[in-house]
Amino acid sequence: MRSFVEACQQSPLQHRLHQLLAVVVRDAALHARFLNSLARLEYVGVRKMLKARRSQDLDLDGLQHLLEEAVHATRLKKFARSVAPEAVCVDTFRAAHTLAGDEAEGYFQVVDRAGAEALGREDAETSYVLTSAAIEIRARAFYPAYQEVLEAAGSKVSVQSILNDEVQHLAEMQQRLQTAEPQWRAQLEHVMRVEQGAFAALLGAFEAAVASHQAAQGDKLPPCQPRSSYEERS
Ligand SMILES: [Fe+2]
Ligand SMILES: [Fe+2]
């Protein structure tokens, strides 16, 4: 799995992600909605697991994983509420309360479809493991970058404990793939190719949402002051 994580970390998308995060973390309104989008992604992960996992296959690790993803969603939502300025509402996961929230959910759906496609047979359990591995690989590149930007900005938000859980989840997915699916590497390569395109599209959606927020802020700036009499003379 290390090579998959390194490929994400060394991709040009990682530089774009850093730039985006640096802008988002500096602006409380953007940051609150961004955190809420991440909470939505974690929630969608929980929902996918609940749908994909049959009770006869669900063990303690599976239950623990479900619980931890729900905790991630809750923690990120609480952070969103704590940084949100008064005028910014992050109560629900609807588009207006998130930053490119619909596109974030769309990213997950694309990766999920790629997992099913790569497997090439009806097997919700293994397809879930493939999709989950791909999402966890991206999380291993995403959360460290986010934590670095948060620390550099002196933010009260920390995603370190979430990252620690995601490290465990990826190890668990690796173990399950290695024992259940002999073709897992080639299948995961396919899923990661699709995931990379979906992540690039998601970054583009975040960038567009940031640009439109900044343009709206620009519209609210006071008009230029009249030139001083000194300037008029010179
Ligand atoms: Fe998570
Ligand atoms: Fe996870």
Side-chain angles (χ1 to χ4, degrees):
M1 288 293 173
R2 184 190 284 189
S3 61
F4 287 104
V5 174
E6 283 173 357
C8 287
Q9 287 169 336
Q10 288 157 12
S11 135
L13 293 179
Q14 193 71 359
H15 178 63
R16 244 174 98 187
L17 172 66
H18 246 277
Q19 287 183 313
L20 172 80
L21 290 168
V23 173
V24 164
V25 168
R26 276 201 306 266
D27 184 310
L30 283 174
H31 197 197
R33 288 169 58 209
F34 180 75
L35 278 159
N36 201 28
S37 293
L38 298 183
R40 180 170 168 176
L41 273 169
E42 297 280 359
Y43 162 71
V44 173
V46 175
R47 202 176 57 196
K48 293 261 174 222
M49 261 190 264
L50 287 170
K51 279 188 187 169
R53 305 221 56 192
R54 294 177 309 171
S55 46
Q56 59 262 44
D57 296 321
L58 197 63
D59 56 8
L60 181 59
D61 281 349
L63 275 175
Q64 185 72 29
H65 193 165
L66 261 170
L67 180 69
E68 285 168 358
E69 300 300 0
V71 168
H72 297 171
T74 310
R75 187 165 290 155
L76 290 161
K77 168 72 92 178
K78 284 182 175 170
F79 277 135
R81 287 180 69 163
S82 78
V83 302
E86 220 172 313
V88 174
C89 179
V90 288
D91 285 353
T92 73
F93 288 142
R94 72 182 64 156
H97 296 176
T98 53
L99 195 71
D102 289 348
E103 290 86 346
E105 188 158 339
Y107 156 82
F108 213 126
Q109 306 298 358
V110 169
V111 180
D112 196 34
R113 277 198 298 275
E117 197 182 274
L119 198 60
R121 63 172 195 272
E122 279 294 313
D123 179 350
E125 190 76 17
T126 312
S127 158
Y128 145 75
V129 180
L130 264 178
T131 299
S132 191
I135 300 282
E136 299 289 359
I137 287 166
R138 180 60 64 187
R140 286 286 304 277
F142 176 87
Y143 279 121
Y146 189 21
Q147 182 63 22
E148 198 183 309
V149 172
L150 289 168
E151 284 174 18
S155 175
K156 61 183 172 184
V157 176
S158 171
V159 291
Q160 189 58 52
S161 68
I162 296 180
L163 174 60
N164 296 343
D165 288 344
E166 308 298 15
V167 170
Q168 277 305 115
H169 296 166
L170 183 56
E172 184 195 322
M173 293 305 114
Q174 175 171 14
Q175 208 230 331
R176 290 190 60 187
L177 280 176
Q178 282 170 342
T179 47
E181 192 54 43
Q183 302 299 316
W184 71 271
R185 188 170 284 279
Q187 290 164 346
L188 190 54
E189 274 167 9
H190 169 81
V191 181
M192 288 313 294
R193 270 195 299 277
V194 176
E195 190 279 342
Q196 196 178 13
F199 187 66
L202 178 56
L203 277 180
F206 281 136
E207 288 159 352
V210 167
S212 81
H213 169 80
Q214 289 174 333
Q217 292 302 106
D219 289 344
K220 284 189 214 148
L221 288 175
C224 294
Q225 296 295 313
R227 289 179 357 145
S228 70
S229 52
Y230 173 76
E231 282 173 327
E232 277 160 10
R233 278 200 307 275
S234 60

